[in-house]
Amino acid sequence: MASSDHIVLLDFLGSPFGMRVRLALAAKGIEYQIEEEDSTQSKSSLLLKLDTVHKKIPVLIHNGKPICESLIIVAYIDEVWKDRCPLLPADPYLH
Ligand SMILES: N[C@@H](CCC(=O)N[C@@H](CS)C(=O)NCC(=O)O)C(=O)O
């Protein structure tokens, strides 16, 4: 991870999909900020801007680039920080 990396997770506490991403970030030892959505309020303008298709959390924002869908985010994290704690098997069939 470059020291200039800026990582924000748009999430709300209690979301199992958000937790999947939090666990991946923790396993890799990646520092990040949380932008907490309020599940009792209407969706934030940030969420509506970043996930124009499903408008769902979690959204990972890496240096300003949004990545949506928790499994895709986990695969992205694993690929970008591949030097640390592999999350996904190298061979998806054999493992
Ligand atoms: N397939 C998505 C599911 C995400 C999802 O359902 N997020 C919920 C919170 S747990 C959400 O944002 N719901 C708001 C809505 O459905 O409008 C993923 O894996 O990221």
Side-chain angles (χ1 to χ4, degrees):
M1 176 167 65
S3 57
S4 56
D5 274 337
H6 186 242
I7 299 153
V8 178
L9 180 63
L10 190 53
D11 191 14
F12 62 73
L13 204 56
S15 162
F17 304 103
M19 189 54 67
R20 175 183 276 158
V21 175
R22 289 180 194 230
L23 288 171
L25 290 165
K28 296 274 187 184
I30 298 165
E31 289 181 20
Y32 61 101
Q33 297 171 5
I34 292 272
E35 270 296 328
E36 198 84 35
E37 280 284 304
D38 185 344
S39 58
T40 65
Q41 303 289 317
S42 52
K43 296 177 182 185
S44 70
S45 53
L46 182 62
L47 176 59
L48 297 177
K49 186 177 105 181
L50 295 179
D51 185 354
T52 52
V53 178
H54 300 295
K55 304 171 177 56
K56 290 184 177 185
I57 59 94
V59 178
L60 186 79
I61 311 162
H62 182 203
N63 296 335
K65 296 174 292 189
I67 303 105
C68 305
E69 276 292 322
S70 60
L71 284 176
I72 293 172
I73 297 170
V74 169
Y76 177 87
I77 291 169
D78 207 26
E79 183 68 24
V80 171
W81 292 278
K82 57 172 66 164
D83 55 325
R84 309 179 189 185
C85 180
L87 302 173
L88 301 173
D91 185 322
Y93 186 77
L94 290 179
H95 290 81

